[in-house]
Amino acid sequence: MAKKHAASDRVDVPGPQPVESVAAVGGHPLHPVVVPLPIGSFVGAFLCDLAFARTQDAFWARGARVLTGAGIVTGLLAGSLGAVDFTARREVRTHRGAWAHAGGNLAVLALSSVSEVVRTRDTRSVPAPAMALSAMSALILLGTGWLGGELAYRDRIGVTRQ
């Protein structure tokens, strides 16, 4: 049961103590704000790959290439913000899930970077290796996204005290 303090609007919630985000502006953690951008880009790239496989339309190949590039750029930003919390807070590094989350997302960035290089060789189609790398990235993101949600909502990591 939540207990309200008379001196403030703060509510104590049962469960682990929150680990505050270092990368925050005005009390708002930045990592969870930016994370939807690379996830949406990488998943969108995979969907474009599937659309290309069905239609053979170069529009979808171009879309997948652009979305993969956008995913890499925004993924580097999201990863940098997450790395600030990861390196600044010992409590974050003690969670195995945080290591798996970070490692899986680094793997997605690496796979997507290779995919982007493969895609630049043939901009009017989606080479099979690029499609395979895109599919692997989307699958990994299912796991790392779930882990990120667990870290934030269940383990209360990278949040703000309220």
Side-chain angles (χ1 to χ4, degrees):
M1 173 172 243
K3 182 170 78 175
K4 199 166 195 164
H5 293 275
S8 72
D9 289 340
R10 183 173 166 212
V11 175
D12 286 334
V13 178
Q17 287 298 312
V19 178
E20 282 192 79
S21 175
V22 176
V25 172
H28 299 282
L30 296 174
H31 180 69
V33 171
V34 178
V35 163
L37 299 172
I39 292 173
S41 295
F42 289 134
V43 171
F46 177 60
L47 294 174
C48 284
D49 286 344
L50 293 177
F52 175 81
R54 180 159 168 77
T55 66
Q56 299 299 303
D57 187 337
F59 169 83
W60 297 112
R62 187 172 50 253
R65 186 171 36 83
V66 169
L67 285 168
T68 299
I72 292 166
V73 170
T74 58
L76 289 170
L77 175 60
S80 297
L81 294 168
V84 168
D85 289 338
F86 188 84
T87 57
R89 301 281 192 219
R90 183 189 58 75
E91 300 92 342
V92 177
R93 294 187 307 274
T94 62
H95 282 269
R96 294 166 107 184
W99 286 93
H101 177 71
N105 289 327
L106 283 171
V108 168
L109 286 171
L111 292 170
S112 297
S113 295
V114 173
S115 176
E116 188 73 357
V117 169
V118 171
R119 290 172 193 280
T120 60
R121 295 181 187 157
D122 182 4
T123 60
R124 298 201 44 80
S125 71
V126 177
M131 189 174 295
L133 292 166
S134 180
M136 284 189 283
S137 295
L139 283 172
I140 293 170
L141 283 172
L142 283 173
T144 60
W146 175 78
L147 279 172
E150 289 288 304
L151 289 166
Y153 295 108
R154 186 179 304 256
D155 299 323
R156 300 173 68 192
I157 291 178
V159 297
T160 56
R161 294 181 199 266
Q162 298 260 319

PDB file of all heavy atoms in Angstrom, residues 83-105:
ATOM      1  N   ALA A  83      24.174   4.735 -21.452  1.00  0.00           N
ATOM      2  CA  ALA A  83      25.524   4.492 -20.941  1.00  0.00           C
ATOM      3  C   ALA A  83      25.877   5.449 -19.810  1.00  0.00           C
ATOM      4  O   ALA A  83      26.626   5.089 -18.897  1.00  0.00           O
ATOM      5  CB  ALA A  83      26.540   4.601 -22.069  1.00  0.00           C
ATOM      6  N   VAL A  84      25.336   6.670 -19.858  1.00  0.00           N
ATOM      7  CA  VAL A  84      25.576   7.621 -18.771  1.00  0.00           C
ATOM      8  C   VAL A  84      25.043   7.037 -17.469  1.00  0.00           C
ATOM      9  O   VAL A  84      25.744   7.017 -16.444  1.00  0.00           O
ATOM     10  CB  VAL A  84      24.932   8.995 -19.075  1.00  0.00           C
ATOM     11  CG1 VAL A  84      24.923   9.881 -17.839  1.00  0.00           C
ATOM     12  CG2 VAL A  84      25.649   9.678 -20.231  1.00  0.00           C
ATOM     13  N   ASP A  85      23.811   6.550 -17.483  1.00  0.00           N
ATOM     14  CA  ASP A  85      23.235   5.954 -16.272  1.00  0.00           C
ATOM     15  C   ASP A  85      23.978   4.671 -15.885  1.00  0.00           C
ATOM     16  O   ASP A  85      24.235   4.422 -14.710  1.00  0.00           O
ATOM     17  CB  ASP A  85      21.759   5.643 -16.469  1.00  0.00           C
ATOM     18  CG  ASP A  85      20.901   6.898 -16.514  1.00  0.00           C
ATOM     19  OD1 ASP A  85      21.350   7.938 -15.998  1.00  0.00           O
ATOM     20  OD2 ASP A  85      19.785   6.831 -17.064  1.00  0.00           O
ATOM     21  N   PHE A  86      24.325   3.869 -16.868  1.00  0.00           N
ATOM     22  CA  PHE A  86      24.995   2.593 -16.623  1.00  0.00           C
ATOM     23  C   PHE A  86      26.354   2.810 -15.948  1.00  0.00           C
ATOM     24  O   PHE A  86      26.695   2.126 -14.994  1.00  0.00           O
ATOM     25  CB  PHE A  86      25.169   1.840 -17.949  1.00  0.00           C
ATOM     26  CG  PHE A  86      25.673   0.443 -17.802  1.00  0.00           C
ATOM     27  CD1 PHE A  86      24.805  -0.596 -17.530  1.00  0.00           C
ATOM     28  CD2 PHE A  86      27.017   0.153 -17.946  1.00  0.00           C
ATOM     29  CE1 PHE A  86      25.259  -1.901 -17.402  1.00  0.00           C
ATOM     30  CE2 PHE A  86      27.493  -1.140 -17.818  1.00  0.00           C
ATOM     31  CZ  PHE A  86      26.603  -2.163 -17.542  1.00  0.00           C
ATOM     32  N   THR A  87      27.117   3.759 -16.450  1.00  0.00           N
ATOM     33  CA  THR A  87      28.456   3.974 -15.894  1.00  0.00           C
ATOM     34  C   THR A  87      28.432   4.806 -14.616  1.00  0.00           C
ATOM     35  O   THR A  87      29.318   4.659 -13.776  1.00  0.00           O
ATOM     36  CB  THR A  87      29.381   4.652 -16.927  1.00  0.00           C
ATOM     37  OG1 THR A  87      28.802   5.889 -17.343  1.00  0.00           O
ATOM     38  CG2 THR A  87      29.609   3.759 -18.133  1.00  0.00           C
ATOM     39  N   ALA A  88      27.446   5.670 -14.450  1.00  0.00           N
ATOM     40  CA  ALA A  88      27.415   6.560 -13.291  1.00  0.00           C
ATOM     41  C   ALA A  88      26.798   5.922 -12.051  1.00  0.00           C
ATOM     42  O   ALA A  88      27.041   6.405 -10.945  1.00  0.00           O
ATOM     43  CB  ALA A  88      26.643   7.839 -13.634  1.00  0.00           C
ATOM     44  N   ARG A  89      26.027   4.891 -12.213  1.00  0.00           N
ATOM     45  CA  ARG A  89      25.326   4.287 -11.070  1.00  0.00           C
ATOM     46  C   ARG A  89      25.722   2.821 -10.904  1.00  0.00           C
ATOM     47  O   ARG A  89      25.383   1.972 -11.728  1.00  0.00           O
ATOM     48  CB  ARG A  89      23.802   4.371 -11.263  1.00  0.00           C
ATOM     49  CG  ARG A  89      23.265   5.766 -11.414  1.00  0.00           C
ATOM     50  CD  ARG A  89      23.150   6.427 -10.071  1.00  0.00           C
ATOM     51  NE  ARG A  89      22.382   7.658 -10.193  1.00  0.00           N
ATOM     52  CZ  ARG A  89      22.690   8.743  -9.534  1.00  0.00           C
ATOM     53  NH1 ARG A  89      23.719   8.754  -8.716  1.00  0.00           N
ATOM     54  NH2 ARG A  89      21.959   9.822  -9.670  1.00  0.00           N
ATOM     55  N   ARG A  90      26.425   2.542  -9.821  1.00  0.00           N
ATOM     56  CA  ARG A  90      26.848   1.168  -9.529  1.00  0.00           C
ATOM     57  C   ARG A  90      25.641   0.242  -9.433  1.00  0.00           C
ATOM     58  O   ARG A  90      25.679  -0.909  -9.862  1.00  0.00           O
ATOM     59  CB  ARG A  90      27.646   1.139  -8.228  1.00  0.00           C
ATOM     60  CG  ARG A  90      28.196  -0.231  -7.879  1.00  0.00           C
ATOM     61  CD  ARG A  90      28.798  -0.277  -6.488  1.00  0.00           C
ATOM     62  NE  ARG A  90      27.862   0.090  -5.434  1.00  0.00           N
ATOM     63  CZ  ARG A  90      26.878  -0.702  -4.979  1.00  0.00           C
ATOM     64  NH1 ARG A  90      26.705  -1.894  -5.502  1.00  0.00           N
ATOM     65  NH2 ARG A  90      26.074  -0.289  -4.019  1.00  0.00           N
ATOM     66  N   GLU A  91      24.519   0.763  -8.898  1.00  0.00           N
ATOM     67  CA  GLU A  91      23.317  -0.056  -8.735  1.00  0.00           C
ATOM     68  C   GLU A  91      22.808  -0.579 -10.080  1.00  0.00           C
ATOM     69  O   GLU A  91      22.231  -1.660 -10.138  1.00  0.00           O
ATOM     70  CB  GLU A  91      22.196   0.746  -8.060  1.00  0.00           C
ATOM     71  CG  GLU A  91      22.538   1.274  -6.691  1.00  0.00           C
ATOM     72  CD  GLU A  91      23.126   2.694  -6.732  1.00  0.00           C
ATOM     73  OE1 GLU A  91      23.567   3.131  -7.789  1.00  0.00           O
ATOM     74  OE2 GLU A  91      23.135   3.340  -5.680  1.00  0.00           O
ATOM     75  N   VAL A  92      23.021   0.177 -11.128  1.00  0.00           N
ATOM     76  CA  VAL A  92      22.585  -0.271 -12.458  1.00  0.00           C
ATOM     77  C   VAL A  92      23.450  -1.439 -12.904  1.00  0.00           C
ATOM     78  O   VAL A  92      22.951  -2.447 -13.415  1.00  0.00           O
ATOM     79  CB  VAL A  92      22.659   0.884 -13.479  1.00  0.00           C
ATOM     80  CG1 VAL A  92      22.281   0.400 -14.870  1.00  0.00           C
ATOM     81  CG2 VAL A  92      21.769   2.045 -13.055  1.00  0.00           C
ATOM     82  N   ARG A  93      24.751  -1.305 -12.705  1.00  0.00           N
ATOM     83  CA  ARG A  93      25.683  -2.347 -13.171  1.00  0.00           C
ATOM     84  C   ARG A  93      25.554  -3.656 -12.402  1.00  0.00           C
ATOM     85  O   ARG A  93      26.045  -4.682 -12.850  1.00  0.00           O
ATOM     86  CB  ARG A  93      27.114  -1.823 -13.097  1.00  0.00           C
ATOM     87  CG  ARG A  93      27.377  -0.687 -14.064  1.00  0.00           C
ATOM     88  CD  ARG A  93      28.848  -0.290 -14.109  1.00  0.00           C
ATOM     89  NE  ARG A  93      29.411   0.005 -12.806  1.00  0.00           N
ATOM     90  CZ  ARG A  93      29.354   1.187 -12.187  1.00  0.00           C
ATOM     91  NH1 ARG A  93      28.735   2.197 -12.771  1.00  0.00           N
ATOM     92  NH2 ARG A  93      29.920   1.363 -11.009  1.00  0.00           N
ATOM     93  N   THR A  94      24.875  -3.655 -11.239  1.00  0.00           N
ATOM     94  CA  THR A  94      24.709  -4.900 -10.476  1.00  0.00           C
ATOM     95  C   THR A  94      23.576  -5.761 -11.026  1.00  0.00           C
ATOM     96  O   THR A  94      23.455  -6.917 -10.637  1.00  0.00           O
ATOM     97  CB  THR A  94      24.455  -4.611  -8.979  1.00  0.00           C
ATOM     98  OG1 THR A  94      23.241  -3.877  -8.853  1.00  0.00           O
ATOM     99  CG2 THR A  94      25.613  -3.848  -8.360  1.00  0.00           C
ATOM    100  N   HIS A  95      22.759  -5.203 -11.914  1.00  0.00           N
ATOM    101  CA  HIS A  95      21.648  -5.968 -12.497  1.00  0.00           C
ATOM    102  C   HIS A  95      22.110  -6.705 -13.753  1.00  0.00           C
ATOM    103  O   HIS A  95      22.596  -6.089 -14.696  1.00  0.00           O
ATOM    104  CB  HIS A  95      20.489  -5.035 -12.856  1.00  0.00           C
ATOM    105  CG  HIS A  95      19.670  -4.635 -11.683  1.00  0.00           C
ATOM    106  ND1 HIS A  95      18.574  -5.340 -11.270  1.00  0.00           N
ATOM    107  CD2 HIS A  95      19.800  -3.606 -10.824  1.00  0.00           C
ATOM    108  CE1 HIS A  95      18.055  -4.756 -10.210  1.00  0.00           C
ATOM    109  NE2 HIS A  95      18.786  -3.700  -9.921  1.00  0.00           N
ATOM    110  N   ARG A  96      21.936  -8.019 -13.752  1.00  0.00           N
ATOM    111  CA  ARG A  96      22.293  -8.802 -14.947  1.00  0.00           C
ATOM    112  C   ARG A  96      21.502  -8.344 -16.160  1.00  0.00           C
ATOM    113  O   ARG A  96      22.000  -8.323 -17.274  1.00  0.00           O
ATOM    114  CB  ARG A  96      22.043 -10.286 -14.693  1.00  0.00           C
ATOM    115  CG  ARG A  96      22.935 -10.873 -13.654  1.00  0.00           C
ATOM    116  CD  ARG A  96      22.405 -12.201 -13.240  1.00  0.00           C
ATOM    117  NE  ARG A  96      23.244 -13.250 -13.768  1.00  0.00           N
ATOM    118  CZ  ARG A  96      22.956 -14.531 -13.622  1.00  0.00           C
ATOM    119  NH1 ARG A  96      21.857 -14.888 -13.000  1.00  0.00           N
ATOM    120  NH2 ARG A  96      23.760 -15.440 -14.118  1.00  0.00           N
ATOM    121  N   GLY A  97      20.241  -7.988 -15.922  1.00  0.00           N
ATOM    122  CA  GLY A  97      19.396  -7.530 -17.019  1.00  0.00           C
ATOM    123  C   GLY A  97      19.932  -6.280 -17.692  1.00  0.00           C
ATOM    124  O   GLY A  97      19.771  -6.091 -18.898  1.00  0.00           O
ATOM    125  N   ALA A  98      20.570  -5.405 -16.917  1.00  0.00           N
ATOM    126  CA  ALA A  98      21.148  -4.190 -17.491  1.00  0.00           C
ATOM    127  C   ALA A  98      22.287  -4.531 -18.440  1.00  0.00           C
ATOM    128  O   ALA A  98      22.442  -3.911 -19.497  1.00  0.00           O
ATOM    129  CB  ALA A  98      21.630  -3.255 -16.382  1.00  0.00           C
ATOM    130  N   TRP A  99      23.079  -5.527 -18.073  1.00  0.00           N
ATOM    131  CA  TRP A  99      24.178  -5.964 -18.950  1.00  0.00           C
ATOM    132  C   TRP A  99      23.626  -6.589 -20.227  1.00  0.00           C
ATOM    133  O   TRP A  99      24.129  -6.317 -21.323  1.00  0.00           O
ATOM    134  CB  TRP A  99      25.081  -6.959 -18.211  1.00  0.00           C
ATOM    135  CG  TRP A  99      25.938  -6.309 -17.186  1.00  0.00           C
ATOM    136  CD1 TRP A  99      25.661  -6.146 -15.860  1.00  0.00           C
ATOM    137  CD2 TRP A  99      27.206  -5.697 -17.402  1.00  0.00           C
ATOM    138  NE1 TRP A  99      26.683  -5.481 -15.240  1.00  0.00           N
ATOM    139  CE2 TRP A  99      27.652  -5.195 -16.149  1.00  0.00           C
ATOM    140  CE3 TRP A  99      28.018  -5.536 -18.522  1.00  0.00           C
ATOM    141  CZ2 TRP A  99      28.871  -4.545 -15.999  1.00  0.00           C
ATOM    142  CZ3 TRP A  99      29.232  -4.891 -18.368  1.00  0.00           C
ATOM    143  CH2 TRP A  99      29.652  -4.398 -17.129  1.00  0.00           C
ATOM    144  N   ALA A 100      22.601  -7.423 -20.092  1.00  0.00           N
ATOM    145  CA  ALA A 100      21.996  -8.052 -21.277  1.00  0.00           C
ATOM    146  C   ALA A 100      21.335  -7.001 -22.164  1.00  0.00           C
ATOM    147  O   ALA A 100      21.431  -7.071 -23.396  1.00  0.00           O
ATOM    148  CB  ALA A 100      20.981  -9.109 -20.844  1.00  0.00           C
ATOM    149  N   HIS A 101      20.669  -6.026 -21.559  1.00  0.00           N
ATOM    150  CA  HIS A 101      20.026  -4.941 -22.296  1.00  0.00           C
ATOM    151  C   HIS A 101      21.070  -4.162 -23.094  1.00  0.00           C
ATOM    152  O   HIS A 101      20.910  -3.933 -24.297  1.00  0.00           O
ATOM    153  CB  HIS A 101      19.296  -4.032 -21.297  1.00  0.00           C
ATOM    154  CG  HIS A 101      18.650  -2.837 -21.876  1.00  0.00           C
ATOM    155  ND1 HIS A 101      17.515  -2.900 -22.660  1.00  0.00           N
ATOM    156  CD2 HIS A 101      18.964  -1.519 -21.789  1.00  0.00           C
ATOM    157  CE1 HIS A 101      17.166  -1.671 -23.022  1.00  0.00           C
ATOM    158  NE2 HIS A 101      18.037  -0.810 -22.499  1.00  0.00           N
ATOM    159  N   ALA A 102      22.145  -3.771 -22.425  1.00  0.00           N
ATOM    160  CA  ALA A 102      23.203  -3.001 -23.091  1.00  0.00           C
ATOM    161  C   ALA A 102      23.893  -3.835 -24.177  1.00  0.00           C
ATOM    162  O   ALA A 102      24.086  -3.364 -25.304  1.00  0.00           O
ATOM    163  CB  ALA A 102      24.224  -2.516 -22.059  1.00  0.00           C
ATOM    164  N   GLY A 103      24.238  -5.067 -23.853  1.00  0.00           N
ATOM    165  CA  GLY A 103      24.929  -5.927 -24.824  1.00  0.00           C
ATOM    166  C   GLY A 103      24.078  -6.237 -26.043  1.00  0.00           C
ATOM    167  O   GLY A 103      24.560  -6.203 -27.182  1.00  0.00           O
ATOM    168  N   GLY A 104      22.805  -6.513 -25.821  1.00  0.00           N
ATOM    169  CA  GLY A 104      21.904  -6.785 -26.949  1.00  0.00           C
ATOM    170  C   GLY A 104      21.736  -5.577 -27.842  1.00  0.00           C
ATOM    171  O   GLY A 104      21.730  -5.693 -29.076  1.00  0.00           O
ATOM    172  N   ASN A 105      21.632  -4.400 -27.235  1.00  0.00           N
ATOM    173  CA  ASN A 105      21.474  -3.193 -28.037  1.00  0.00           C
ATOM    174  C   ASN A 105      22.757  -2.846 -28.792  1.00  0.00           C
ATOM    175  O   ASN A 105      22.694  -2.351 -29.923  1.00  0.00           O
ATOM    176  CB  ASN A 105      20.990  -2.027 -27.178  1.00  0.00           C
ATOM    177  CG  ASN A 105      19.548  -2.220 -26.766  1.00  0.00           C
ATOM    178  OD1 ASN A 105      18.751  -2.798 -27.505  1.00  0.00           O
ATOM    179  ND2 ASN A 105      19.204  -1.765 -25.587  1.00  0.00           N
TER     180      ASN A 105
END
